[in-house]
Amino acid sequence: MLVFPDPSSQAVASPGLIGVRLRDTVNNPHMDVLWNHDYKAGMNGIPFVKMHGLGNDFVVFDGRRDPAVLDLDDAIAARIADRKTGVGCDQLIVIEPARDDLADAFMRIRNNDGGEVQACGNATRCVANIVMGELGRKDVIIETVVGLLDANGLADGRVTVDMGQVKLDWRDIPLSDAVDTNHIPLSLGPLSDAVGVNVGNPHGVFFVDDAESIDIEKFGPVLEHHEMFPERANIEVCSIIDENKIRMRVWERGVGVTRACGTGACAAGVAAARRGLTGRKVEVILDGGPLTIEWLPDDHVLMTGPVATSFSGFLHASLLGNH
């Protein structure tokens, strides 16, 4: 289960965070009363951990110990994910009891807009890291709505996840028309000739000379909702650095621009190899840093990257609609 620091201690330390009790630094007695009131209310709330993979950030709940989070709907999830009035995140993650006997835990994923999605590579690494810590093992199986994902912890602290077999048929991405997924007839401004890949979710990958020059905030949302993608799509803009390295920027479906997207990096690696632009093992450089992607001969894709914990806390009841 998720382990949380004792908030009554003088200082709380966790990876990526050093916190000090607020009432030790506040001299105003009215502020002290306010802090104690809110603190006690928070202690009656639901615990969470804020984590990220290369800046792609998550609010992680443990539904195994707090069944209330198993019933979150789209609207509540979106309130929690709101960066101004909630906790704030790209995706909201709930760890649930495994359904499959082979799995160690089930992971449910909701995007920033509250909608449930099938896959998230960076979140899978984070959840795998939690479960490995619980079990004292370096290998775990994380169950998702699209299947079982094997994860392994490396000596340097990074985590490798087998994201499963990629799907390349137009029906599986899915696309609205029966087209060659290596050359989708889709164009908008400087972007054209996309590659379609499904890594548990749909992706449209565009190759350009300079990914930095593309206004992805302008073109991303239009392409996400293009009629070619009946389930919408994540949009990646990539430029080839060399045969082993790709620069990628991403517009995530239901989220927007993010610093990293694990499934997007997998899609970019597969798309580049399909086009003969790179080999089958590459380093994908995202805004938040690098991921190592390897497309195996059996069409499984391995993704390797770091995980980090930012802080932990308690969700106030008002975000759940309770007062």
Side-chain angles (χ1 to χ4, degrees):
M1 304 300 178
L2 298 182
V3 178
F4 299 91
D6 177 6
S8 65
S9 62
Q10 291 295 320
V12 176
S14 64
L17 171 71
I18 297 178
V20 180
R21 288 168 59 197
L22 288 185
R23 63 185 177 196
D24 290 334
T25 61
V26 175
N27 295 319
N28 187 323
H30 300 292
M31 291 298 293
D32 191 48
V33 170
L34 179 61
W35 159 246
N36 280 299
H37 177 270
D38 283 348
Y39 170 76
K40 291 174 182 177
M43 286 296 289
N44 293 323
I46 296 174
F48 69 87
V49 173
K50 182 72 179 290
M51 302 185 74
H52 72 90
L54 296 177
N56 182 197
D57 62 334
F58 317 104
V59 172
V60 183
F61 293 104
D62 192 340
R64 300 166 299 176
R65 61 176 285 175
D66 295 296
V69 299
L70 301 177
D71 299 321
L72 297 180
D73 60 24
D74 292 6
I76 292 174
R79 284 205 298 271
I80 296 170
D82 189 286
R83 295 190 183 279
K84 293 187 180 297
T85 59
V87 181
C89 61
D90 292 327
Q91 279 88 20
L92 184 150
I93 309 299
V94 179
I95 304 175
E96 302 180 8
R99 279 73 163 159
D100 192 297
D101 290 340
L102 295 176
D104 295 296
F106 181 92
M107 178 180 74
R108 191 171 302 281
I109 312 157
R110 289 183 178 275
N111 273 341
N112 176 272
D113 65 1
E116 187 172 347
V117 293
Q118 296 87 355
C120 179
N122 289 320
T124 304
R125 295 200 314 278
C126 290
V127 170
N129 193 62
I130 290 172
V131 177
M132 286 189 288
E134 294 172 353
L135 300 179
R137 300 201 324 244
K138 287 297 184 181
D139 59 285
V140 294
I141 298 176
I142 304 301
E143 184 180 4
T144 70
V145 295
V146 292
L148 303 180
L149 304 178
D150 292 289
N152 295 276
L154 305 184
D156 62 5
R158 293 182 302 160
V159 176
T160 295
V161 177
D162 181 342
M163 295 299 294
Q165 288 185 310
V166 295
K167 298 177 181 179
L168 303 175
D169 187 89
W170 71 273
R171 302 171 189 83
D172 296 326
I173 290 173
L175 302 177
S176 58
D177 296 328
V179 300
D180 177 3
T181 61
N182 203 23
H183 295 280
I184 300 174
L186 177 62
S187 62
L188 180 66
L191 303 177
S192 63
D193 192 27
V195 181
V197 184
N198 186 298
V199 192
N201 50 13
H203 294 264
V205 183
F206 294 86
F207 291 98
V208 297
D209 291 335
D210 181 11
E212 311 294 343
S213 68
I214 302 301
D215 188 350
I216 197 166
E217 292 190 60
K218 176 181 178 180
F219 299 113
V222 178
L223 291 166
E224 173 193 348
H225 293 89
H226 194 281
E227 61 184 10
M228 182 63 79
F229 302 111
E231 295 181 6
R232 298 185 293 157
N234 302 278
I235 304 300
E236 287 80 32
V237 176
C238 303
S239 50
I240 303 300
I241 299 174
D242 59 42
E243 64 179 7
N244 300 310
K245 189 174 294 186
I246 302 169
R247 172 67 172 113
M248 185 193 102
R249 300 174 62 216
V250 61
W251 175 274
E252 286 201 53
R253 177 181 63 166
V255 182
V257 174
T258 60
R259 294 183 62 188
C261 175
T263 60
C266 293
V270 170
R274 289 183 74 191
R275 288 273 180 93
L277 302 173
T278 66
R280 296 175 73 98
K281 183 174 183 179
V282 295
E283 183 178 55
V284 180
I285 309 298
L286 304 107
D287 289 354
L291 291 174
T292 301
I293 305 298
E294 183 174 7
W295 185 23
L296 302 177
D298 62 1
D299 281 341
H300 282 244
V301 180
L302 303 182
M303 172 199 58
T304 301
V307 301
T309 299
S310 302
F311 59 87
S312 59
F314 292 85
L315 189 71
H316 198 279
S318 64
L319 284 176
L320 296 176
N322 302 322
H323 300 281

